[in-house]
């Protein structure tokens, strides 16, 4: 259950980083590396969530998703603002 929660939080961090790069002023030219690497990482995290959730019962999944719903905004927004600061050269 904890592993599924942490994996979902990893997805929120990847999503926030991706959004920060895409919504920055420079867009896809924000970094010198291939920006599609974050899409691959995000997709791999979704697959990891699916493989992790197979072993859990439905009430455990419900509890984990409810906890993730409360934690998503914190993980996503922190990652989003950090990536925006990286693009702006503030970090």
């Amino acid at each position: 259950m904890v592993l599924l929660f942490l994996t979902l939080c990893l997805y929120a961090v990847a999503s926030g980083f991706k959004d920060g790069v895409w919504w920055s002023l420079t867009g896809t030219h924000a970094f010198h590396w291939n920006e599609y690497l974050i899409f691959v990482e995000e997709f791999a995290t979704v697959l990891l969530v699916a493989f992790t959730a197979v072993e859990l019962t439905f009430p455990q999944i419900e509890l984990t998703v409810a906890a993730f719903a409360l934690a998503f905004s914190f993980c996503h927004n922190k990652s989003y603002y950090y990536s925006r600061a990286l693009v702006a050269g503030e970090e």
Side-chain angles (χ1 to χ4, degrees):
M1 213 162 70
V2 173
L3 183 61
L4 177 62
F5 177 75
L6 292 175
T7 308
L8 286 169
C9 287
L10 178 64
Y11 170 76
V13 168
S15 178
F17 192 81
K18 176 190 57 118
D19 291 346
V21 171
W22 284 106
W23 289 101
S24 66
L25 296 174
T26 55
T28 59
H29 301 292
F31 294 101
H32 298 290
W33 46 270
N34 188 351
E35 67 274 358
Y36 289 101
L37 291 175
I38 195 68
F39 288 121
V40 172
E41 192 275 333
E42 191 175 29
F43 180 70
T45 306
V46 169
L47 288 178
L48 189 60
V49 165
F51 287 129
T52 306
V54 169
E55 298 295 324
L56 298 177
T57 63
F58 188 70
Q60 289 174 325
I61 292 173
E62 281 183 325
L63 182 63
T64 304
V65 169
F68 172 67
L70 296 174
F72 177 83
S73 179
F74 175 76
C75 298
H76 180 273
N77 291 346
K78 182 65 178 170
S79 177
Y80 173 80
Y81 289 117
Y82 179 74
S83 64
R84 289 294 297 259
L86 277 177
V87 171
E90 297 170 5
E91 287 286 330

